Amino acid sequence: MLKVDLHLHTIYSGHAFASFYETLNYASDNKMEIIAITDHGPTVDGACEAIAFNLGKRAPKTFKGMKVLWGCESNIINQDGTIDLPNETIKHLDILLVGIHPTTVSKDWGIKKNTEAAINCFKKYPISIFTHPTTFIYPIDLDKICEAAFENNVLLELNLSSLIRLKNNSERECINRMKRMIKLVKQNNKKVIINSDAHFLHEIGDDAILSEYWAELGLTDEMIMNNYPKELLTFIQQKKESWVQSK
């Protein structure tokens, strides 16, 4: 069971099935230490409007001794790397995740422009985590994405839902892409973040699938950012503060 899980969805994502407080209670009951509520940005079908994310300053920051981060898994919506949240809304978040999703206004611009859009996004926003980078949604140059993430201090995510899809033979997943990402992380002396991408309560913090792929992926405890909660929280806070000061 993960003690830190920074990619959780609630009913406000439009296709997840737990409420905000159901999520907090489940995570607390399972002795988790840090979680992030990261509902989908507004361009995902069924997701809430951007205004909902403005309530971050009113959201609980702790719950029964557990640290709670108010965040969003936002979406890249054009080739210059713009996401589906305005800057003023981002200021209300504790953590910003960015991903590529097929149900947003973004399109497949081809591997070169898709890759450039993600890199531009890394440069524009205080992104802590780039979500499920190895999943085939639109084609990207994984090596260039990883290089840009390292240069812009963005954590790459090993997504547990991706591993579950891999086990179920999904065409969207590829073990070699996951292995390549882990290899590049190690070669560059970086760390990877492991998240559940939970859409149901039972998925929160559940890392049982990880043991099946640990050795093949080449993972080590030392490269897992979840194992360094103080360093992780400092990283997230400094990301946001530096960006806010630049605006």
Side-chain angles (χ1 to χ4, degrees), residues 4 19 76 144 175 227 235:
V4 176
S19 72
I76 300 170
K144 289 184 178 179
I175 188 66
N227 295 333
F235 161 76

Side-chain angles (χ1 to χ4, degrees), residues 35-52:
I35 65 168
I37 305 298
T38 55
D39 284 309
H40 284 294
T43 55
V44 166
D45 289 344
C48 60
E49 298 294 328
I51 191 172

Side-chain angles (χ1 to χ4, degrees), residues 189-200:
N189 296 312
K190 300 295 184 179
K191 296 183 177 72
V192 68
I193 186 84
I194 298 176
N195 291 319
S196 68
D197 194 0
H199 286 64
F200 292 89

Side-chain angles (χ1 to χ4, degrees), residues 51-109:
I51 191 172
F53 297 98
N54 290 346
L55 295 175
K57 292 182 179 179
R58 294 172 60 180
K61 303 305 180 184
T62 60
F63 183 81
K64 298 180 180 179
M66 177 180 65
K67 180 73 173 176
V68 181
L69 302 179
W70 182 259
C72 176
E73 184 186 16
S74 59
N75 306 282
I76 300 170
I77 60 173
N78 61 36
Q79 294 178 39
D80 70 6
T82 299
I83 63 173
D84 56 354
L85 290 179
N87 285 351
E88 286 304 311
T89 296
I90 295 171
K91 292 177 182 179
H92 291 275
L93 303 178
D94 300 315
I95 183 171
L96 177 64
L97 283 59
V98 167
I100 299 172
H101 296 92
T103 58
T104 68
V105 297
S106 63
K107 300 177 181 179
D108 182 3
W109 302 301

Side-chain angles (χ1 to χ4, degrees), residues 7-183:
H7 189 172
L8 305 178
H9 295 280
T10 76
I11 54 176
Y12 292 101
S13 283
H15 57 273
F17 296 88
S19 72
F20 178 81
Y21 279 102
E22 285 174 337
T23 298
L24 266 57
N25 273 302
Y26 184 91
S28 175
D29 289 347
N30 283 277
K31 312 300 182 186
M32 297 183 71
E33 297 175 2
I34 309 170
I35 65 168
I37 305 298
T38 55
D39 284 309
H40 284 294
T43 55
V44 166
D45 289 344
C48 60
E49 298 294 328
I51 191 172
F53 297 98
N54 290 346
L55 295 175
K57 292 182 179 179
R58 294 172 60 180
K61 303 305 180 184
T62 60
F63 183 81
K64 298 180 180 179
M66 177 180 65
K67 180 73 173 176
V68 181
L69 302 179
W70 182 259
C72 176
E73 184 186 16
S74 59
N75 306 282
I76 300 170
I77 60 173
N78 61 36
Q79 294 178 39
D80 70 6
T82 299
I83 63 173
D84 56 354
L85 290 179
N87 285 351
E88 286 304 311
T89 296
I90 295 171
K91 292 177 182 179
H92 291 275
L93 303 178
D94 300 315
I95 183 171
L96 177 64
L97 283 59
V98 167
I100 299 172
H101 296 92
T103 58
T104 68
V105 297
S106 63
K107 300 177 181 179
D108 182 3
W109 302 301
I111 186 169
K112 183 176 185 293
K113 291 183 178 179
N114 292 340
T115 301
E116 290 174 351
I119 293 172
N120 290 337
C121 185
F122 294 170
K123 295 176 180 178
K124 292 176 68 170
Y125 297 105
I127 303 164
S128 291
I129 300 169
F130 185 54
T131 59
H132 40 69
T134 61
T135 297
F136 288 110
I137 296 176
Y138 298 136
I140 57 172
D141 185 322
L142 183 62
D143 282 33
K144 289 184 178 179
I145 291 290
C146 290
E147 180 183 355
F150 303 150
E151 289 178 354
N152 291 279
N153 210 20
V154 175
L155 285 169
L156 296 168
E157 177 187 69
L158 179 59
N159 187 291
L160 295 173
S161 293
S162 295
L163 285 176
I164 292 170
R165 286 193 296 267
L166 177 68
K167 185 176 181 179
N168 292 328
N169 299 312
S170 169
E171 294 181 353
R172 294 172 60 187
E173 307 299 341
C174 173
I175 188 66
N176 288 332
R177 285 173 65 83
M178 296 180 184
K179 290 166 67 174
R180 178 62 179 168
M181 181 183 76
I182 297 302
K183 181 178 180 180

